[in-house]
Amino acid sequence: MSDRLRVTVVASTGVVGEAESWLLSLLDATDRLAVEAVLPQDGPLREEFTRRGMPSFVRATGDSVAVLGSTTPWLVRHLRATRPDVLLADGVRAALAAAPAAWLAGVRCVWVKHDHAFDGPVMALLAALTDGCVATEPALVRASRHPEATLVPSPATGPDGPRMSADLLAQALAEAARLSGAGLTGTAPVSVMTCFWNEGEGVDRLLELLLPQLTVDGDEIVVVDDGSTDDTADRATAWAADDARVHVLGNPHRGLPATRNAGVRAARNPLIACTDAGCVPAPDWLARLRAAWAEPRPADLLTGGYRVSSDGVSARAMALVGYPVPEEVLHPGPWTRVYTRLLGRAFDASTPSGRSMAFTRAAWQDAEGFTEHLKTAEDLAFARDVIAAGGRAVLVTSAEVEWAQRPTMRSTAVMYYRYGQGSGQMADGRLLGRDALRAVAYLAAPAALARGPRARALVAAAALTYLSLPMARAVRGHHWSALPLIPLVTAVRDLAKTAGAVHGLTLRLKDRRS
């Protein structure tokens, strides 16, 4: 079993009523959660948590909404000290106190709705401050005002009823925490697909890391060689000769999307996990993806996490500017939430990297495979097509790989140019919209600087706001030497990506005319 999900429960009362009995019955039926409780008063509910060996803290405030709100500052300090994976507010009144505290403390929050009270603006506020909603009646899913409300009804009768409801609650909490599969051990076989083109020694390094992770009968590694002209195919074939779980598929050189499609067609299992040459998957990378697929309602696309290593000052600055940080996903501060929602640079289940993701064969078929005319961004286009076909995507941040940042500014600019070209070719509105806004900002800034002190102050404030997150990352990591390079690196990244997007749109228009 993977690590249990650490949950802080915030209750709105100290007695054991219908809502509290519902929660206790579900906690009794699952072993996926490590629970502590925060209560507004001492009483029978605390006794129930104590009897189950679950730590509880009493912040004696009473149970009215106004008085519960007075506990928010204390709860912020408590959450910052304990750092749970997710907070569960049992009821709307508890959520009104807990959701702001969780938002300020950088903890994901899920709230439970047991009745129709507080409809209207309160629902909208809680939807904005929380990361998930659990409803106990089908009608409440619609009334919750939360786009991803989960129905977890009162446990049905029979021996499996409580466990089924408890599993749904645990899944809702794990997905809100961006840790799908936490507390589970998957048992289904997985096909790991990896593609190579003139990688040479990269074959040996990656297979050495992947083979120990094949722990279930039926696991396999599908190595697809995209027409390499070096010794890549020979190295892969040597591994296949030594281990029957490695299968090598050779193709003419057609590019990564076509190579991925060939690998999926050759894979034997319903779940296909992907990583690439140059990546260093964590020892539990595959186990985490396998566990996420063991959820009671498994997703169609599992988006893994990653870290970017860097060697040298400029490479470190480029990594700080260009990539999200796993800790920001698990415990996002208020400004990080606002910044990444508006400007990107965050892990998102709908924008996976082919270096760390998994998907079902059925989802691949529904999406009609990877789009083969794309030179880059085929993973993003694939995710878009999976979701458009009705598939569901979740984050499995714990399924982590690492790879190295490109060593030079030039190679990084080329990489982002190609990323932009891919987003332009697939005409993704969200990505192109951000590129367009950046282009307008770069074009307008010189004219604004010439308009006087007030305009220059506004431009400086906007620039500092835009650079604030990568600069904060540098400060947190004590990367002082990389700090002065962040403005330059940001400009290179943005301009290269925008130029690539323009080229990609041009190619798309040419393809449509031909």
Side-chain angles (χ1 to χ4, degrees), residues 419-509:
Y419 285 168
Q421 184 178 335
S423 63
Q425 282 186 282
M426 70 180 192
D428 185 281
R430 180 174 56 171
L431 297 177
L432 289 178
R434 287 172 177 164
D435 288 338
L437 286 174
R438 293 185 183 108
V440 169
Y442 280 100
L443 290 172
L449 289 173
R451 293 180 63 88
R454 182 174 297 180
R456 286 194 289 270
L458 288 174
V459 170
L464 286 174
T465 300
Y466 184 55
L467 298 170
S468 61
L469 185 59
M471 292 177 74
R473 292 170 178 168
V475 171
R476 284 197 302 266
H478 303 290
H479 303 307
W480 307 113
S481 57
L483 197 58
L485 291 177
I486 285 176
L488 172 62
V489 167
T490 301
V492 169
R493 169 192 179 273
D494 291 344
L495 295 175
K497 194 167 183 293
T498 301
V502 172
H503 185 207
L505 283 171
T506 303
L507 293 175
R508 180 182 176 87
L509 291 174

Coordinates of all heavy atoms in Angstrom, one line a residue, residues 419-509:
Y419 N 7.7 24.0 -28.7 CA 6.5 23.9 -27.9 C 5.4 24.9 -28.5 O 4.2 24.5 -28.6 CB 6.7 24.3 -26.5 CG 7.5 23.3 -25.7 CD1 8.0 23.6 -24.4 CD2 7.7 22.0 -26.2 CE1 8.7 22.7 -23.7 CE2 8.4 21.0 -25.4 CZ 8.9 21.4 -24.2 OH 9.6 20.4 -23.4
G420 N 5.8 26.1 -28.8 CA 4.8 27.1 -29.3 C 4.3 26.6 -30.7 O 3.1 26.8 -31.0
Q421 N 5.2 26.1 -31.5 CA 4.7 25.6 -32.8 C 3.7 24.5 -32.6 O 2.7 24.5 -33.4 CB 6.0 25.0 -33.5 CG 5.7 24.5 -34.9 CD 6.9 24.0 -35.6 OE1 8.0 24.4 -35.3 NE2 6.7 23.2 -36.6
G422 N 3.9 23.6 -31.6 CA 2.9 22.6 -31.4 C 1.5 23.1 -31.0 O 0.5 22.7 -31.4
S423 N 1.6 24.1 -30.0 CA 0.3 24.7 -29.6 C -0.4 25.5 -30.7 O -1.6 25.5 -30.8 CB 0.6 25.6 -28.4 OG 1.4 26.7 -28.7
G424 N 0.4 26.1 -31.6 CA -0.2 26.8 -32.7 C -0.8 25.8 -33.7 O -1.9 26.0 -34.2
Q425 N -0.2 24.7 -34.0 CA -0.7 23.7 -34.9 C -2.0 23.1 -34.4 O -2.9 22.7 -35.2 CB 0.3 22.6 -35.2 CG 1.4 23.0 -36.1 CD 2.3 21.9 -36.5 OE1 3.2 21.5 -35.7 NE2 2.1 21.3 -37.7
M426 N -2.1 22.8 -33.1 CA -3.3 22.2 -32.6 C -4.3 23.3 -32.2 O -5.5 23.0 -31.8 CB -3.0 21.3 -31.4 CG -2.6 22.0 -30.1 SD -2.3 20.8 -28.8 CE -2.1 21.8 -27.4
A427 N -4.0 24.6 -32.3 CA -4.9 25.7 -32.0 C -5.6 25.6 -30.7 O -6.8 25.8 -30.6 CB -5.9 25.8 -33.1
D428 N -4.8 25.4 -29.6 CA -5.3 25.3 -28.3 C -5.6 26.8 -27.8 O -4.7 27.6 -27.7 CB -4.3 24.7 -27.3 CG -4.9 24.5 -25.9 OD1 -4.9 25.5 -25.2 OD2 -5.3 23.4 -25.6
G429 N -6.9 27.1 -27.6 CA -7.3 28.4 -27.2 C -6.6 29.0 -26.0 O -6.2 30.1 -25.9
R430 N -6.5 28.1 -25.0 CA -6.0 28.6 -23.7 C -4.5 28.9 -23.8 O -4.0 30.0 -23.4 CB -6.2 27.5 -22.6 CG -5.6 27.9 -21.3 CD -5.9 26.9 -20.2 NE -5.5 25.5 -20.6 CZ -5.6 24.5 -19.7 NH1 -6.1 24.6 -18.5 NH2 -5.2 23.3 -20.1
L431 N -3.7 28.0 -24.5 CA -2.3 28.3 -24.7 C -2.1 29.5 -25.6 O -1.2 30.3 -25.3 CB -1.6 27.0 -25.2 CG -1.7 25.8 -24.3 CD1 -1.0 24.6 -25.0 CD2 -1.0 26.0 -23.0
L432 N -2.8 29.5 -26.7 CA -2.6 30.6 -27.6 C -3.0 32.0 -27.0 O -2.4 33.0 -27.3 CB -3.4 30.4 -28.9 CG -2.8 29.2 -29.8 CD1 -3.7 29.0 -31.0 CD2 -1.4 29.6 -30.2
G433 N -4.1 31.9 -26.2 CA -4.5 33.1 -25.5 C -3.4 33.7 -24.6 O -3.2 34.9 -24.6
R434 N -2.8 32.9 -23.9 CA -1.7 33.3 -23.0 C -0.5 33.8 -23.8 O 0.1 34.9 -23.5 CB -1.2 32.2 -22.1 CG -2.2 31.9 -21.0 CD -1.8 30.6 -20.2 NE -2.7 30.4 -19.1 CZ -2.8 29.2 -18.5 NH1 -2.0 28.2 -18.8 NH2 -3.7 29.1 -17.5
D435 N -0.2 33.2 -24.9 CA 0.9 33.6 -25.8 C 0.6 35.0 -26.4 O 1.4 35.9 -26.5 CB 1.1 32.6 -26.9 CG 1.8 31.3 -26.4 OD1 2.5 31.4 -25.3 OD2 1.7 30.3 -27.1
A436 N -0.7 35.2 -26.8 CA -1.1 36.4 -27.4 C -1.0 37.6 -26.3 O -0.6 38.7 -26.7 CB -2.5 36.3 -27.9
L437 N -1.4 37.3 -25.1 CA -1.3 38.3 -24.1 C 0.1 38.7 -23.8 O 0.4 39.9 -23.6 CB -2.0 37.8 -22.8 CG -3.5 37.8 -22.8 CD1 -4.0 37.1 -21.5 CD2 -4.1 39.2 -23.0
R438 N 1.0 37.7 -23.8 CA 2.4 38.0 -23.6 C 3.0 38.9 -24.8 O 3.7 39.8 -24.5 CB 3.2 36.8 -23.4 CG 2.9 36.0 -22.2 CD 3.8 34.8 -22.1 NE 3.5 33.9 -20.9 CZ 2.9 32.8 -20.9 NH1 2.6 32.2 -22.1 NH2 2.6 32.1 -19.8
A439 N 2.6 38.5 -26.0 CA 3.0 39.3 -27.1 C 2.6 40.7 -27.1 O 3.4 41.7 -27.3 CB 2.6 38.6 -28.4
V440 N 1.3 40.9 -26.7 CA 0.8 42.3 -26.6 C 1.6 43.1 -25.5 O 1.9 44.2 -25.7 CB -0.7 42.3 -26.3 CG1 -1.2 43.6 -25.9 CG2 -1.5 41.7 -27.4
A441 N 1.9 42.4 -24.4 CA 2.6 43.1 -23.3 C 4.0 43.5 -23.7 O 4.4 44.6 -23.5 CB 2.7 42.1 -22.1
Y442 N 4.7 42.6 -24.5 CA 6.0 43.0 -24.9 C 6.0 44.1 -25.9 O 6.9 44.9 -26.0 CB 6.7 41.7 -25.5 CG 7.3 40.8 -24.4 CD1 6.6 39.7 -24.0 CD2 8.5 41.1 -23.8 CE1 7.1 38.8 -23.1 CE2 9.0 40.2 -22.8 CZ 8.3 39.1 -22.5 OH 8.8 38.3 -21.5
L443 N 5.0 44.1 -26.8 CA 4.9 45.2 -27.8 C 4.5 46.5 -27.2 O 4.9 47.6 -27.6 CB 3.9 44.8 -28.9 CG 4.3 43.6 -29.8 CD1 3.1 43.2 -30.7 CD2 5.5 44.0 -30.6
A444 N 3.6 46.5 -26.2 CA 3.1 47.7 -25.6 C 4.1 48.3 -24.6 O 4.0 49.5 -24.3 CB 1.7 47.4 -24.9
A445 N 4.9 47.5 -24.0 CA 5.8 48.0 -22.9 C 6.7 49.2 -23.3 O 6.8 50.2 -22.6 CB 6.6 46.9 -22.3
P446 N 7.4 49.1 -24.5 CA 8.2 50.2 -24.9 C 7.5 51.5 -25.0 O 7.9 52.6 -24.6 CB 8.8 49.8 -26.2 CG 8.8 48.3 -26.1 CD 7.5 47.9 -25.4
A447 N 6.3 51.5 -25.6 CA 5.5 52.7 -25.8 C 5.0 53.2 -24.5 O 5.0 54.5 -24.2 CB 4.3 52.4 -26.7
A448 N 4.7 52.3 -23.5 CA 4.2 52.8 -22.2 C 5.4 53.5 -21.5 O 5.2 54.4 -20.7 CB 3.7 51.6 -21.4
L449 N 6.6 52.9 -21.6 CA 7.7 53.5 -20.9 C 8.0 54.9 -21.3 O 8.6 55.7 -20.6 CB 9.0 52.6 -21.1 CG 9.0 51.2 -20.4 CD1 10.2 50.4 -20.9 CD2 9.0 51.4 -18.9
A450 N 7.6 55.3 -22.5 CA 7.9 56.6 -23.0 C 6.8 57.6 -22.6 O 7.0 58.8 -23.0 CB 8.0 56.6 -24.6
R451 N 5.8 57.2 -21.9 CA 4.7 58.1 -21.6 C 4.8 58.8 -20.3 O 4.0 59.6 -19.9 CB 3.4 57.3 -21.6 CG 3.0 56.8 -23.0 CD 1.7 56.0 -23.0 NE 0.6 56.8 -22.6 CZ -0.1 57.5 -23.5 NH1 0.2 57.5 -24.8 NH2 -1.1 58.3 -23.1
G452 N 5.9 58.6 -19.5 CA 6.1 59.3 -18.3 C 6.3 58.5 -17.1 O 6.2 57.2 -17.2
P453 N 6.5 59.1 -15.9 CA 6.8 58.3 -14.7 C 5.7 57.4 -14.3 O 5.9 56.3 -13.8 CB 7.1 59.4 -13.7 CG 7.4 60.6 -14.5 CD 6.7 60.5 -15.7
R454 N 4.4 57.9 -14.4 CA 3.3 57.0 -13.9 C 3.2 55.7 -14.8 O 3.1 54.6 -14.2 CB 2.0 57.8 -14.0 CG 0.8 57.0 -13.5 CD -0.4 57.8 -13.4 NE -0.3 58.9 -12.5 CZ -1.2 59.8 -12.2 NH1 -2.4 59.8 -12.9 NH2 -1.0 60.8 -11.3
A455 N 3.4 55.9 -16.1 CA 3.3 54.7 -17.0 C 4.5 53.8 -16.7 O 4.3 52.6 -16.7 CB 3.3 55.2 -18.4
R456 N 5.7 54.4 -16.5 CA 6.8 53.5 -16.2 C 6.6 52.8 -14.9 O 7.0 51.6 -14.8 CB 8.1 54.4 -16.1 CG 8.6 54.9 -17.5 CD 10.0 55.4 -17.4 NE 10.1 56.7 -16.7 CZ 9.9 57.9 -17.3 NH1 9.7 57.9 -18.6 NH2 10.0 59.0 -16.6
A457 N 6.0 53.4 -13.9 CA 5.7 52.7 -12.6 C 4.8 51.6 -12.8 O 4.9 50.5 -12.2 CB 5.2 53.7 -11.6
L458 N 3.8 51.8 -13.7 CA 2.8 50.7 -13.9 C 3.5 49.5 -14.7 O 3.2 48.4 -14.3 CB 1.7 51.2 -14.8 CG 0.7 52.2 -14.0 CD1 -0.3 52.7 -15.0 CD2 0.0 51.4 -12.9
V459 N 4.4 49.8 -15.6 CA 5.1 48.8 -16.3 C 6.0 48.0 -15.4 O 6.0 46.8 -15.4 CB 5.9 49.4 -17.5 CG1 6.8 48.3 -18.1 CG2 5.0 49.9 -18.6
A460 N 6.7 48.7 -14.5 CA 7.5 48.1 -13.5 C 6.7 47.2 -12.6 O 7.2 46.0 -12.3 CB 8.3 49.1 -12.7
A461 N 5.6 47.7 -12.1 CA 4.8 46.9 -11.2 C 4.2 45.6 -11.9 O 4.2 44.5 -11.4 CB 3.6 47.7 -10.7
A462 N 3.8 45.8 -13.2 CA 3.3 44.6 -14.0 C 4.5 43.6 -14.2 O 4.3 42.4 -14.1 CB 2.8 45.1 -15.3
A463 N 5.7 44.1 -14.5 CA 6.8 43.2 -14.7 C 7.2 42.4 -13.4 O 7.4 41.2 -13.5 CB 8.0 44.0 -15.2
L464 N 7.2 43.1 -12.3 CA 7.5 42.5 -11.1 C 6.4 41.4 -10.7 O 6.8 40.4 -10.2 CB 7.6 43.5 -9.9 CG 8.9 44.3 -10.0 CD1 8.9 45.4 -8.9 CD2 10.2 43.4 -9.7
T465 N 5.2 41.7 -11.0 CA 4.1 40.8 -10.7 C 4.3 39.5 -11.6 O 4.2 38.4 -11.1 CB 2.8 41.4 -11.0 OG1 2.6 42.5 -10.2 CG2 1.6 40.4 -10.8
Y466 N 4.6 39.7 -12.8 CA 4.8 38.6 -13.8 C 6.0 37.8 -13.4 O 6.0 36.5 -13.5 CB 5.0 39.2 -15.2 CG 5.1 38.1 -16.2 CD1 4.1 37.1 -16.4 CD2 6.1 38.1 -17.1 CE1 4.2 36.2 -17.4 CE2 6.2 37.1 -18.1 CZ 5.2 36.2 -18.2 OH 5.3 35.2 -19.2
L467 N 7.1 38.4 -12.9 CA 8.3 37.7 -12.5 C 8.2 37.1 -11.1 O 9.2 36.5 -10.7 CB 9.5 38.6 -12.7 CG 9.8 39.1 -14.1 CD1 10.9 40.2 -14.0 CD2 10.2 38.0 -15.0
S468 N 7.2 37.5 -10.3 CA 7.2 37.2 -8.9 C 7.3 35.7 -8.5 O 8.0 35.4 -7.6 CB 5.9 37.8 -8.2 OG 4.7 37.2 -8.8
L469 N 6.6 34.8 -9.3 CA 6.6 33.4 -8.9 C 8.0 32.8 -9.1 O 8.6 32.2 -8.2 CB 5.5 32.7 -9.6 CG 5.4 31.2 -9.2 CD1 5.1 31.1 -7.7 CD2 4.3 30.5 -10.0
P470 N 8.6 32.9 -10.3 CA 10.0 32.4 -10.4 C 11.0 33.0 -9.5 O 11.9 32.3 -9.0 CB 10.3 32.6 -11.9 CG 9.4 33.6 -12.4 CD 8.1 33.4 -11.6
M471 N 10.8 34.3 -9.2 CA 11.8 34.9 -8.3 C 11.5 34.4 -6.9 O 12.5 34.2 -6.1 CB 11.6 36.4 -8.3 CG 12.0 37.1 -9.6 SD 11.7 38.9 -9.7 CE 13.0 39.5 -8.7
A472 N 10.3 34.2 -6.5 CA 10.0 33.6 -5.2 C 10.6 32.2 -5.1 O 11.1 31.8 -4.0 CB 8.5 33.5 -4.9
R473 N 10.6 31.4 -6.2 CA 11.2 30.1 -6.2 C 12.7 30.2 -6.0 O 13.3 29.4 -5.2 CB 10.9 29.4 -7.5 CG 9.4 29.0 -7.8 CD 9.2 28.6 -9.2 NE 7.8 28.1 -9.4 CZ 7.3 27.9 -10.6 NH1 8.1 28.1 -11.7 NH2 6.1 27.6 -10.8
A474 N 13.3 31.1 -6.6 CA 14.7 31.3 -6.5 C 15.1 31.7 -5.0 O 16.1 31.2 -4.5 CB 15.2 32.4 -7.4
V475 N 14.3 32.5 -4.4 CA 14.6 33.0 -3.0 C 14.4 31.8 -2.1 O 15.2 31.5 -1.2 CB 13.7 34.1 -2.6 CG1 13.8 34.4 -1.1 CG2 14.0 35.4 -3.4
R476 N 13.3 31.0 -2.3 CA 13.0 29.9 -1.4 C 14.1 28.8 -1.5 O 14.5 28.2 -0.5 CB 11.7 29.2 -1.8 CG 10.4 30.0 -1.3 CD 9.2 29.1 -1.3 NE 9.0 28.5 -2.6 CZ 8.1 29.1 -3.5 NH1 7.5 30.2 -3.2 NH2 7.9 28.5 -4.7
G477 N 14.7 28.7 -2.7 CA 15.7 27.7 -2.9 C 17.1 28.2 -2.7 O 18.1 27.5 -2.9
H478 N 17.2 29.5 -2.3 CA 18.5 30.2 -2.1 C 19.4 30.1 -3.4 O 20.6 30.0 -3.3 CB 19.3 29.5 -0.9 CG 18.5 29.5 0.4 ND1 18.3 30.6 1.1 CD2 17.9 28.5 1.0 CE1 17.6 30.3 2.2 NE2 17.3 29.0 2.2
H479 N 18.7 30.3 -4.5 CA 19.4 30.3 -5.8 C 19.7 31.8 -6.1 O 19.2 32.3 -7.1 CB 18.6 29.7 -6.9 CG 18.2 28.2 -6.6 ND1 19.2 27.3 -6.3 CD2 17.0 27.6 -6.6 CE1 18.6 26.1 -6.1 NE2 17.3 26.3 -6.2
W480 N 20.6 32.4 -5.3 CA 20.8 33.9 -5.5 C 21.4 34.2 -6.8 O 21.1 35.3 -7.4 CB 21.6 34.4 -4.3 CG 21.0 34.0 -3.0 CD1 21.6 33.1 -2.1 CD2 19.8 34.4 -2.4 NE1 20.7 33.0 -1.0 CE2 19.6 33.8 -1.2 CE3 18.8 35.3 -2.9 CZ2 18.5 34.0 -0.4 CZ3 17.7 35.5 -2.1 CH2 17.5 34.9 -0.8
S481 N 22.3 33.4 -7.3 CA 23.1 33.7 -8.5 C 22.1 33.6 -9.7 O 22.4 34.3 -10.7 CB 24.2 32.7 -8.7 OG 23.8 31.4 -8.7
A482 N 21.1 32.8 -9.6 CA 20.1 32.7 -10.8 C 19.1 33.9 -10.8 O 18.5 34.1 -11.8 CB 19.4 31.4 -10.7
L483 N 19.0 34.5 -9.7 CA 17.9 35.6 -9.6 C 18.0 36.7 -10.6 O 17.1 37.0 -11.3 CB 17.9 36.1 -8.2 CG 16.7 36.9 -7.7 CD1 15.5 36.1 -7.8 CD2 16.9 37.4 -6.2
P484 N 19.2 37.2 -10.9 CA 19.3 38.3 -11.8 C 19.0 37.9 -13.3 O 18.7 38.7 -14.1 CB 20.8 38.8 -11.7 CG 21.3 38.3 -10.4 CD 20.5 37.0 -10.2
L485 N 19.1 36.6 -13.6 CA 18.9 36.1 -14.9 C 17.5 35.9 -15.2 O 17.1 35.6 -16.4 CB 19.7 34.8 -15.2 CG 21.2 34.9 -15.2 CD1 21.9 33.6 -15.4 CD2 21.6 35.8 -16.4
I486 N 16.6 35.9 -14.2 CA 15.2 35.5 -14.4 C 14.5 36.4 -15.5 O 13.8 35.9 -16.3 CB 14.5 35.4 -13.1 CG1 14.9 34.2 -12.3 CG2 13.0 35.5 -13.3 CD1 14.3 34.0 -11.0
P487 N 14.7 37.7 -15.4 CA 14.0 38.6 -16.5 C 14.4 38.2 -17.9 O 13.6 38.1 -18.8 CB 14.4 40.0 -16.1 CG 14.7 39.9 -14.6 CD 15.3 38.6 -14.4
L488 N 15.7 38.0 -18.1 CA 16.2 37.7 -19.4 C 15.7 36.3 -19.9 O 15.2 36.2 -21.0 CB 17.8 37.7 -19.4 CG 18.4 37.1 -20.7 CD1 18.1 38.0 -21.9 CD2 19.9 37.0 -20.5
V489 N 15.8 35.3 -19.0 CA 15.3 34.0 -19.3 C 13.8 34.0 -19.6 O 13.3 33.4 -20.6 CB 15.6 33.0 -18.2 CG1 14.9 31.7 -18.4 CG2 17.1 32.8 -18.1
T490 N 13.0 34.8 -18.9 CA 11.6 34.9 -19.1 C 11.3 35.5 -20.5 O 10.4 35.0 -21.2 CB 10.9 35.7 -18.0 OG1 11.2 35.2 -16.7 CG2 9.4 35.9 -18.2
A491 N 12.0 36.5 -20.8 CA 11.8 37.1 -22.2 C 12.2 36.1 -23.3 O 11.4 36.0 -24.3 CB 12.7 38.4 -22.3
V492 N 13.3 35.4 -23.1 CA 13.7 34.5 -24.2 C 12.6 33.4 -24.3 O 12.2 33.0 -25.4 CB 15.0 33.8 -23.8 CG1 15.3 32.6 -24.7 CG2 16.2 34.9 -23.9
R493 N 12.1 32.9 -23.2 CA 11.1 31.9 -23.2 C 9.8 32.4 -23.9 O 9.3 31.7 -24.8 CB 10.8 31.4 -21.8 CG 9.5 30.6 -21.6 CD 9.1 30.4 -20.2 NE 8.0 29.6 -20.0 CZ 6.7 30.1 -20.0 NH1 6.5 31.3 -20.3 NH2 5.7 29.3 -19.8
D494 N 9.3 33.5 -23.5 CA 8.1 34.0 -24.0 C 8.2 34.3 -25.5 O 7.3 34.0 -26.3 CB 7.7 35.3 -23.2 CG 7.3 35.0 -21.8 OD1 7.1 33.8 -21.5 OD2 7.2 35.9 -21.0
L495 N 9.2 35.0 -25.9 CA 9.4 35.4 -27.3 C 9.6 34.2 -28.2 O 9.0 34.1 -29.3 CB 10.5 36.4 -27.5 CG 10.3 37.7 -26.8 CD1 11.5 38.6 -26.9 CD2 9.1 38.5 -27.3
A496 N 10.3 33.2 -27.7 CA 10.5 32.0 -28.5 C 9.2 31.2 -28.7 O 8.9 30.7 -29.8 CB 11.6 31.1 -27.9
K497 N 8.5 31.1 -27.6 CA 7.2 30.4 -27.7 C 6.2 31.1 -28.5 O 5.5 30.5 -29.3 CB 6.7 30.2 -26.2 CG 5.6 29.1 -26.2 CD 5.3 28.8 -24.7 CE 4.3 27.7 -24.6 NZ 3.0 28.1 -25.1
T498 N 6.2 32.4 -28.4 CA 5.2 33.2 -29.2 C 5.5 33.0 -30.7 O 4.7 32.9 -31.6 CB 5.2 34.6 -28.8 OG1 4.9 34.7 -27.4 CG2 4.2 35.4 -29.6
A499 N 6.8 33.1 -31.0 CA 7.2 33.0 -32.4 C 6.9 31.6 -33.0 O 6.4 31.4 -34.1 CB 8.7 33.2 -32.6
G500 N 7.1 30.6 -32.1 CA 6.7 29.2 -32.5 C 5.2 29.1 -32.7 O 4.8 28.4 -33.7
A501 N 4.4 29.7 -31.9 CA 3.0 29.7 -32.0 C 2.5 30.3 -33.3 O 1.6 29.8 -34.0 CB 2.3 30.3 -30.8
V502 N 3.1 31.4 -33.7 CA 2.8 32.0 -35.0 C 3.1 31.1 -36.2 O 2.3 30.9 -37.1 CB 3.5 33.4 -35.1 CG1 3.3 33.9 -36.5 CG2 3.0 34.4 -34.1
H503 N 4.3 30.5 -36.1 CA 4.7 29.5 -37.1 C 3.7 28.4 -37.2 O 3.3 27.9 -38.3 CB 6.1 29.1 -36.9 CG 6.6 28.2 -38.0 ND1 7.6 27.2 -37.8 CD2 6.3 28.1 -39.3 CE1 7.9 26.6 -39.0 NE2 7.1 27.1 -39.9
G504 N 3.3 27.9 -36.0 CA 2.4 26.7 -35.9 C 1.1 27.1 -36.5 O 0.5 26.2 -37.2
L505 N 0.6 28.2 -36.2 CA -0.7 28.7 -36.8 C -0.6 28.8 -38.3 O -1.6 28.4 -39.1 CB -1.1 30.0 -36.2 CG -1.7 30.0 -34.8 CD1 -1.9 31.4 -34.3 CD2 -3.1 29.2 -34.8
T506 N 0.5 29.3 -38.8 CA 0.7 29.4 -40.3 C 0.7 28.0 -40.9 O 0.1 27.8 -42.0 CB 2.1 30.1 -40.6 OG1 2.1 31.3 -39.9 CG2 2.3 30.2 -42.1
L507 N 1.4 27.0 -40.3 CA 1.4 25.7 -40.8 C 0.0 25.1 -40.8 O -0.4 24.4 -41.7 CB 2.3 24.8 -40.0 CG 3.8 25.1 -40.0 CD1 4.6 24.2 -39.1 CD2 4.3 24.9 -41.5
R508 N -0.8 25.4 -39.7 CA -2.2 24.9 -39.6 C -3.0 25.4 -40.8 O -3.8 24.7 -41.4 CB -2.8 25.2 -38.3 CG -4.2 24.8 -38.1 CD -4.7 25.2 -36.7 NE -6.1 24.8 -36.6 CZ -6.5 23.7 -36.1 NH1 -5.6 22.8 -35.7 NH2 -7.8 23.4 -35.9
L509 N -2.9 26.7 -41.1 CA -3.6 27.3 -42.2 C -3.2 26.7 -43.5 O -4.1 26.4 -44.4 CB -3.4 28.8 -42.2 CG -4.0 29.6 -41.0 CD1 -3.6 31.0 -41.1 CD2 -5.6 29.4 -41.0

